[in-house]
Amino acid sequence: MRAERGAPVTELRDLERELDRFNTRLLAAAFFVLLCFGLLGWRLVVLQVVRHDELAERAESNRTAVVPVVPNRGLILDRNGVVLATNYSAYTLEITPSRVSGELDAVIDSLAQVLRIEQRDRRRFKRLQDESKRFESLPIRTKLSDEEVARFMAQRYRFPGVDVRARLFRSYPAGEVGSHLIGYIGRINSAEQKAMEDWDDEVLANYRGTEVIGKLGLEQRYEQQLHGTTGFEQVETSAGGRAVRRLNSHPATPGNTLVLSIDIKLQALVEQLFGNRRGALVAIDPRNGEVLAFVSKPAFDPNLFVDGIDVESWRGLNESLDKPLLNRALRGTYPPGSTFKPFMAIAALNTGKRGPGTIVHDGGSYNFGGHVFRSHGDHGLGPVDMRRSIVASSNVYYYSLANELGVDLMHEQLLPFGFGRKTGIDLDGEVTGLLPSTAWKKRAYKKPEQQKWYAGETISLGIGQGYNNFTMLQLASATATLVSGGQRFEPRLVREIRNVVSQVAMPVSGEALAPLPLKPEHVALIASAMHGVTQEGTSTRIFAGAPYKTGGKTGTAQAVGVRANEKYNAARLSEFQRDHSLYTAFAPLESPRIALAVVVENAGFGATAAAPIARRVFDYLLAGQWPSDEDMAATREGRSVAPTGTPRRADEVTLTELGLGGAP
C-alpha cells in the first residue's frame, strides 16, 4: 500500500527530467540553427560586400577574355621614300600541342594528306616546339592560299588543337640589298624571353602577344620604336572558350617609321659592283655624319628568317667560306695599308716632327736593326717631300716617320680620329678595331717577353700594317673628319623617326663631337696630296675624265704575313691569302660632301679593284650617272680603269629594274 502511494511522485520526477532534457536539446538545436544562419549570413556579407569587387571581376573574367592586339610593325624607308621593310597579312596553319588529341606526329601526318607539308616545315615546327611552351600556338605551314584555307576548314573538325590564323609577316622588298644594315626579325627565343624580364614593366607589358622581335641591324637597334603600342579586345566567351561577341576594344598603334639616310639605289649599285667578291664600303656625308651607303658583301636574304629559316638555308649561310652573315662594314677589321699614310702625315704636322718640305730619300728599302723593310718593287722614289710621299705612296718615308714618332705618340695623335674605338653608329655589335700602343700590348699578353714593345714593331705601323686593324666604318669616319678640317660626328643610318599617327617627324642626327684642332693649312696640304693621287698618282687612270675634283688614297694590305726579304707573289698564294685592295676618297675637293672607304678582300692592288668602285659612287652622287653594262662588268671583274662605255642617267634607272620595289 505504501509503495503504491509513492508511484506518482516518481513518475512526476521522471517527467520533469525529460522536460529539462528536451528543453536543453531544443535550446542546443536552436543555437545550432542560429549559428548556421549566422555563418551563412556572415558568409553572405563576405561574398556580397567584402569580396564583391574581386568576385565580380573573377566572374566577369570567366565570361570574358582580354585578347592583346599586336600592332603593325613600323616601316623602314630610304632617304627618298623607297620601302625597305613593310608588312603583309597571310594565313598560317597552327598547332597548339597541349590541345592536340593523340600523337602529334600522327596529327601532322594526317594534316599532310589535306595540305602540302614538306620536311622543311616539319623541321622548323620541331625547332619552334623546342623553343616554346606547350600551350603556345606554333605554325606548321605559313602563307596559305585561299584554296588551302577552304580545304582545311572543310575538315577542321578532325583536328582539335589545329586552326588557321591570320598573321602579319615582315617583308623586305629589296631582298639582299642592304640586308646587313636593315637586319631582320624572328620569333622570340627562350634566351630573349629571359633577357626581356629585365625590361621596364611598362615596356614589357607592351609586348603581350608579341611573338617576333628584331634580331639584327636596324630592326634590332630600333626595336621599341618599330614595335608600336599593343591594343586589346574584350570578348565574351562561351563555356568552350570560343569568342561569342566583342564587348570592348582599344586599337593598337602601329610602330613608328624609320627614314634612313641611305640611298638604296646607290646601295644597290655598289653591291652590284662587288659582284661575287667579298668586301665592304661605307660612304659618309662629312657635314653631318649621315651614312649614304653601308655595304657588306656577300649579303643574305632577310626574308628567309621571317617565318623561321630552314636547316638547309641556315647551313648554307653559316658554313659558307665567304661568311655572308658577317657584317664586314661593322665588324670586319683590316690593316689599312697605305690609306693610313695621310693620317700619319697629319700626325707629323700636328707634332712638328716633319714639315711639308722635309725631304726623305727613298732608296727602295729601309733598314732598321738589321731588318730590311721593303718598298714598292725593287726601285726607290728618290727625294720625297710630304706631298709626294702621299701621291707616289712612299713606304720609306713612313717607315722613318713611324720610327721618329714612336708607337705611343702615333696612338695619341690618331685615336681622336676614331681609330681603335667605336664610332657610335646606331647599330649594335660594332667592334673597336686595334690602334696599338705599349699599354695595349701589356694588357693583351700574359708573358713578360710578349708584353714588351720592340722598336722594330713600330716601323710597319707607319704604312698601315703590323698590329693596325680597323673597320671600313672607322676608316670612312676618320677620312670624313680629316677632309672636313676636324669636324666630327657620330655616324647615323636613321635620318628621322616619323610618328605614323601624328605624322610628326623627329630628326635623328649624329652627335656632334668636339672638333679636332687641325690647322687649315695642314688639312689643305693633305687634301691637295690626295687630289694628286687621282691626277698623277696611283689612281690617275681610274679618275681620268671625271667631271669633278676628288681626292683619294689607294692601299694594299697583307692578309697573311710575308717572310722577311721575300717578294710577294699572288700567283703562288690561295685566294684567301692574297692582299686586300683598299681605297679611301672624298669629293668634291673644295667642299667635301662624301667621304668613303672601300675594301675588296684578296683582290690585290688598291687601284685595281677598290678605286673603280669609288669612281662609280662619285659618278652617281656628283654627276648623276649610272655605269654602262660594260663598265659594270669590268668593275666586277677587277679589270676596270676609267669608264669606257656610255653611262645612263641615274634617274632613268628604275626601282623595278633593280628589284627594289616602289615608293610607299
Side-chain angles (χ1 to χ4, degrees):
M1 294 292 293
R2 289 177 183 173
E4 292 177 0
R5 287 188 188 131
V9 176
T10 303
E11 290 177 1
L12 287 174
R13 287 177 180 172
D14 291 341
L15 181 60
E16 288 177 359
R17 190 179 297 114
E18 290 295 331
L19 286 174
D20 290 341
R21 189 179 300 166
F22 174 77
N23 289 334
T24 301
R25 291 174 179 174
L26 183 62
L27 287 173
F31 177 77
F32 177 75
V33 170
L34 288 174
L35 179 62
C36 290
F37 275 104
L39 290 173
L40 289 173
W42 176 79
R43 187 60 177 167
L44 186 63
V45 170
V46 170
L47 295 176
Q48 294 293 329
V49 179
V50 179
R51 298 182 61 191
H52 175 271
D53 293 340
E54 174 194 347
L55 295 174
E57 182 179 346
R58 186 181 299 179
E60 184 66 13
S61 66
N62 290 333
R63 185 181 69 89
T64 64
V66 177
V67 181
V69 178
V70 180
N72 289 354
R73 195 169 179 85
L75 304 180
I76 300 178
L77 314 177
D78 89 329
R79 67 187 300 124
N80 298 311
V82 180
V83 178
L84 306 180
T86 185
N87 311 295
Y88 68 94
S89 181
Y91 291 110
T92 65
L93 183 67
E94 304 197 0
I95 301 176
T96 305
S98 62
R99 296 174 56 194
V100 170
S101 58
E103 289 292 330
L104 188 57
D105 289 339
V107 172
I108 295 176
D109 291 338
S110 298
L111 281 171
Q113 298 174 4
V114 180
L115 300 176
R116 179 173 51 85
I117 298 178
E118 299 178 352
Q119 282 300 119
R120 57 179 292 182
D121 298 319
R122 293 173 183 261
R123 287 193 294 266
R124 182 182 58 206
F125 180 82
K126 182 67 170 63
R127 179 168 54 81
L128 292 175
Q129 189 180 4
D130 293 339
E131 296 175 353
S132 307
K133 300 173 183 177
R134 279 187 55 81
F135 58 80
E136 291 182 335
S137 179
L138 306 175
I140 182 69
R141 262 292 310 279
T142 60
K143 304 172 188 175
L144 301 177
S145 66
D146 292 340
E147 179 185 347
E148 288 176 315
V149 172
R151 193 185 312 153
F152 170 77
M153 294 305 290
Q155 302 192 48
R156 183 179 176 280
Y157 66 92
R158 295 173 48 198
F159 303 102
V162 184
D163 210 343
V164 170
R165 290 184 58 186
R167 284 183 180 266
L168 282 176
F169 288 88
R170 198 66 160 165
S171 173
Y172 302 98
E176 290 190 1
V177 177
S179 57
H180 283 284
L181 71 97
I182 298 169
Y184 60 86
I185 65 169
R187 196 176 183 90
I188 300 173
N189 58 38
S190 55
E192 289 163 337
Q193 285 178 336
K194 187 174 182 180
M196 290 170 67
E197 293 175 0
D198 296 330
W199 289 6
D200 181 84
D201 290 343
E202 185 177 348
V203 175
L204 188 58
N206 191 41
Y207 276 76
R208 286 187 58 196
T210 300
E211 297 179 348
V212 296
I213 197 171
K215 299 279 189 174
L216 198 70
L218 295 171
E219 290 276 26
Q220 179 186 39
R221 179 62 178 266
Y222 288 89
E223 165 61 34
Q224 293 184 18
Q225 290 89 341
L226 288 166
H227 179 267
T229 304
T230 300
F232 69 86
E233 283 187 351
Q234 186 180 28
V235 295
E236 185 176 6
T237 58
S238 66
R242 291 192 169 277
V244 176
R245 62 191 178 99
R246 186 171 61 183
L247 302 176
N248 190 15
S249 67
H250 188 281
T253 303
N256 294 327
T257 297
L258 301 186
V259 180
L260 309 187
S261 58
I262 294 292
D263 182 339
I264 198 62
K265 286 179 69 173
L266 172 62
Q267 182 88 12
L269 170 63
V270 175
E271 294 195 19
Q272 288 185 20
L273 291 170
F274 266 94
N276 294 324
R277 298 175 296 179
R278 302 172 299 278
L281 177 145
V282 178
I284 296 176
D285 188 335
R287 300 169 299 178
N288 50 29
E290 289 186 354
V291 180
L292 306 175
F294 192 86
V295 174
S296 175
K297 288 287 290 181
F300 60 91
D301 186 356
N303 292 295
L304 293 173
F305 293 87
V306 170
D307 55 346
I309 189 169
D310 61 277
V311 175
E312 288 100 352
S313 297
W314 172 251
R315 185 179 294 120
L317 292 173
N318 197 43
E319 298 179 1
S320 171
L321 293 177
D322 290 333
K323 299 181 180 179
L325 294 176
L326 171 64
N327 188 337
R328 286 169 162 83
L330 188 74
R331 299 183 58 80
T333 58
Y334 307 87
S338 293
T339 64
F340 199 53
K341 291 174 180 176
F343 300 97
M344 287 290 295
I346 199 72
L349 293 171
N350 288 343
T351 58
K353 291 290 185 179
R354 284 186 185 173
T358 303
I359 301 297
V360 172
H361 182 77
D362 183 346
S365 63
Y366 181 76
N367 193 302
F368 182 84
H371 181 85
V372 177
F373 293 85
R374 302 178 63 86
S375 190
H376 300 295
D378 295 318
H379 64 280
L381 298 173
V384 177
D385 63 5
M386 183 171 286
R387 184 181 186 279
R388 189 160 184 258
S389 75
I390 295 175
V391 173
S393 198
S394 169
N395 279 359
V396 171
Y397 185 95
Y398 291 98
Y399 286 144
S400 62
L401 177 58
N403 186 42
E404 291 175 26
L405 289 172
V407 61
D408 286 331
L409 186 55
M410 290 166 56
H411 183 275
E412 176 189 314
Q413 287 293 311
L414 299 177
L415 185 66
F417 283 93
F419 293 117
R421 63 183 181 188
K422 297 179 181 180
T423 65
I425 193 172
D426 48 344
L427 282 179
D428 293 335
E430 181 182 6
V431 298
T432 60
L434 177 57
L435 180 67
S437 66
T438 54
W440 160 79
K441 200 174 184 189
K442 289 178 181 178
R443 294 193 305 268
Y445 294 96
K446 295 181 179 179
K447 296 180 179 179
E449 62 271 20
Q450 293 175 318
Q451 293 177 337
K452 182 180 178 182
W453 185 272
Y454 297 94
E457 294 176 308
T458 306
I459 308 303
S460 294
L461 299 180
I463 63 166
Q465 294 289 165
Y467 291 112
N468 285 324
N469 266 284
F470 312 124
T471 66
M472 288 304 103
L473 174 60
Q474 290 172 326
L475 199 52
S477 180
T479 302
T481 297
L482 176 60
V483 302
S484 65
Q487 189 176 17
R488 298 188 298 166
F489 292 93
E490 288 188 344
R492 277 293 175 271
L493 289 163
V494 175
R495 203 177 196 186
E496 64 182 35
I497 300 176
R498 187 180 301 162
N499 187 294
V500 73
V501 177
S502 65
Q503 291 301 309
V504 173
M506 181 181 70
V508 180
S509 58
E511 182 181 347
L513 306 175
L516 300 186
L518 303 181
K519 293 183 178 181
E521 60 269 26
H522 293 168
V523 174
L525 172 64
I526 302 302
S528 173
M530 293 180 73
H531 177 58
V533 172
T534 70
Q535 302 301 303
E536 53 187 293
T538 50
S539 63
T540 302
R541 291 190 302 167
I542 303 300
F543 285 89
Y548 47 80
K549 292 182 179 180
T550 179
K553 185 69 192 79
T554 54
T556 306
Q558 292 180 356
V560 294
V562 178
R563 285 179 292 184
N565 300 319
E566 181 180 343
K567 189 174 181 179
Y568 173 79
N569 188 339
R572 296 179 180 176
L573 300 174
S574 66
E575 178 190 352
F576 286 86
Q577 293 180 315
R578 295 171 188 165
D579 289 348
H580 302 314
S581 174
L582 294 98
Y583 195 70
T584 56
F586 66 94
L589 179 64
E590 299 79 10
S591 53
R593 303 200 308 267
I594 314 109
L596 64 79
V598 55
V599 60
V600 183
E601 291 183 8
N602 313 115
F605 184 46
T608 303
I613 295 177
R615 167 69 193 264
R616 277 34 169 191
V617 170
F618 292 149
D619 284 349
Y620 173 87
L621 289 173
L622 301 178
Q625 296 178 353
W626 191 273
S628 65
D629 292 342
E630 297 89 343
D631 290 333
M632 187 81 78
T635 304
R636 282 196 297 264
E637 295 166 10
R639 54 179 176 83
S640 179
V641 289
T644 56
T646 302
R648 300 168 59 187
R649 281 179 48 185
D651 56 6
E652 292 178 347
V653 180
T654 65
L655 297 172
T656 303
E657 180 181 346
L658 297 174
L660 299 177

